């Protein structure tokens, strides 16, 4: 199995975990029993605690000097940005819209890989990525009549996640995935604290049903986070990144079955374009490995 194929499979697993996480978080905050800020804080505590216990079990240090240096410092800033605004988007915007806007992240990651990491991206891959982006626009429909102001939260969250993924690729190899998990979920906690500072209601303990939903959020998020870190360190970023689009398809299913959202024909056509662009990118990668082509 090639690195590109393994990286792509890890990315699909990560997106499955994140889609389930999103559904649990939206269900928890939608009950009114827990705010977006408190939910994000608890999610960060759960994730950081799990990775810390695992690091102790495998005898890895919990703290690295690299956490406050270079790429990891930038990664942390992007993590806070992404988590802060994405949590707000999940709480206040439709799940289908939030997930669709997030799918623009691979285009931003690919652009960053080409400009910052000097990774070679051929014309046909760019064309495939552009087709996927057109599919996203067909779903979002950013017109004055169709664009919800709360979607701005998702746009800012998408930018944060794209920067985080790019800096994950550039992170020092001596920092393990477990240590990246500790750092990342600490930033999630900080994002939650930041949200609570601007929430009008005072802090209150979540109900038992909300806690159960948040536990599901944490478990599925851990799976997604671990798989994403592995994916961004395996294969070429420009090949692996498009498979983030799988998150959209899974989210559309949850939006339909759980939250009663009904995607129309344009949404389904756009989703088809998104998946097709990702599959085409992987096929082109396989031909490149076999034939030695630079495209």
């Amino acid at each position: 199995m090639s690195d590109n194929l393994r990286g792509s499979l890890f990315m699909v697993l990560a997106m499955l975990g994140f889609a389930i996480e999103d559904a649990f978080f939206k269900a928890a905050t939608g009950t009114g029993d827990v705010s977006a800020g408190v939910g994000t804080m608890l999610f960060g505590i759960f994730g950081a605690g799990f990775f810390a216990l695992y690091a102790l079990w495998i005898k890895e240090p919990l703290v690295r000097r690299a956490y406050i240096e270079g790429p990891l410092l930038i990664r942390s800033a992007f993590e806070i940005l992404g988590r802060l605004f994405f949590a707000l988007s999940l709480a206040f915007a439709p799940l289908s819209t939030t997930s669709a806007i997030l799918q623009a992240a691979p285009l931003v990651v690919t652009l960053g890989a080409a400009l910052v990491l000097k990774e070679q991206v051929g014309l046909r891959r760019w064309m495939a990525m552009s087709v996927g982006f057109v599919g996203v626009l067909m779903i979002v429909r950013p017109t004055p009549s169709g664009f919800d102001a709360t979607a701005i939260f998702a746009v800012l969250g998408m930018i944060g996640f794209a920067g985080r993924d790019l800096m994950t690729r550039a992170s020092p190899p001596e920092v393990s995935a477990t240590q990246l998990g500790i750092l990342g979920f600490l930033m999630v906690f900080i994002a939650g604290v930041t949200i609570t500072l601007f929430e009008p209601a005072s802090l209150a303990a979540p109900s038992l049903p909300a806690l159960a939903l948040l536990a599901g959020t944490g478990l599925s998020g851990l799976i997604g986070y671990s798989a994403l870190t592995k994916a961004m360190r395996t294969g070429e970023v420009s090949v692996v990144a498009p498979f983030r689009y799988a998150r959209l398809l899974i989210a559309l299913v949850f939006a339909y079955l759980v939250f009663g959202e009904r995607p129309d024909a344009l949404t389904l056509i756009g989703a088809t374009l998104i998946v097709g662009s990702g599959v085409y990118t992987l096929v082109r990668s396989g031909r490149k490995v076999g034939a030695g082509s630079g495209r």
Side-chain angles (χ1 to χ4, degrees):
M1 185 181 296
S2 69
D3 285 345
N4 282 339
L5 180 56
R6 286 192 297 111
S8 299
L9 292 175
F10 275 120
M11 183 62 79
V12 171
L13 176 61
M15 294 306 104
L16 175 61
F18 285 143
I20 296 173
E21 170 201 331
D22 295 344
F24 273 128
F25 188 88
K26 185 170 184 63
T29 55
T31 62
D33 293 333
V34 61
S35 69
V38 172
T40 304
M41 287 171 57
L42 292 175
F43 179 43
I45 292 172
F46 180 89
F50 175 87
F51 276 112
L53 289 175
Y54 182 69
L56 291 173
W57 183 51
I58 61 177
K59 297 184 170 77
E60 282 190 354
L62 300 180
V63 180
R64 300 294 297 265
R65 182 177 179 82
Y67 287 175
I68 56 173
E69 296 177 345
L72 288 187
L73 188 60
I74 300 173
R75 181 184 186 273
S76 295
F78 277 121
E79 182 81 70
I80 293 173
L81 176 70
R83 280 293 172 182
L84 193 157
F85 287 106
F86 191 62
L88 292 175
S89 184
L90 283 175
F92 299 112
L95 177 61
S96 55
T97 299
T98 300
S99 298
I101 293 175
L102 187 65
Q103 304 316 305
L107 189 61
V108 178
V109 172
T110 300
L111 178 63
L115 297 180
V116 179
L117 303 182
K118 308 303 180 184
E119 192 171 289
Q120 294 298 316
V121 179
L123 176 61
R124 294 185 184 182
R125 286 193 201 172
W126 278 114
M127 292 176 63
M129 291 291 293
S130 298
V131 169
F133 187 65
V134 169
V136 171
L137 292 179
M138 291 178 68
I139 296 172
V140 177
R141 275 156 276 180
T143 62
S145 60
F147 192 76
D148 188 344
T150 57
I152 296 174
F153 292 146
V155 172
L156 293 174
M158 177 272 293
I159 293 172
F161 286 149
R164 176 200 65 187
D165 291 352
L166 192 63
M167 288 301 101
T168 297
R169 179 74 172 190
S171 63
E174 65 270 16
V175 179
S176 70
T178 301
Q179 292 165 337
L180 285 177
I182 295 172
L183 177 63
F185 276 102
L186 286 176
M187 297 307 107
V188 173
F189 173 76
I190 292 174
V193 172
T194 304
I195 296 173
T196 60
L197 295 178
F198 297 93
E199 289 178 330
S202 57
L203 296 181
S207 65
L208 287 179
L211 276 176
L213 289 169
L214 288 174
T217 300
L219 181 60
S220 53
L222 286 172
I223 295 172
Y225 202 99
S226 300
L228 177 63
T229 300
K230 185 69 175 178
M232 294 308 297
R233 286 180 155 183
T234 307
E236 299 172 76
V237 172
S238 55
V239 174
V240 173
F243 285 86
R244 291 186 67 112
Y245 291 141
R247 182 175 186 166
L248 174 58
L249 300 183
I250 302 168
L252 288 175
V253 172
F254 286 142
Y256 182 88
L257 296 177
V258 180
F259 301 104
E261 300 175 20
R262 298 295 183 261
D264 56 18
L266 273 179
T267 298
L268 295 176
I269 294 171
T272 301
L273 291 177
I274 288 168
V275 174
S277 69
V279 173
Y280 177 81
T281 301
L282 182 59
V283 170
R284 290 299 307 173
S285 169
R287 291 179 181 174
K288 173 184 174 183
V289 172
S293 170
R295 303 292 289 276

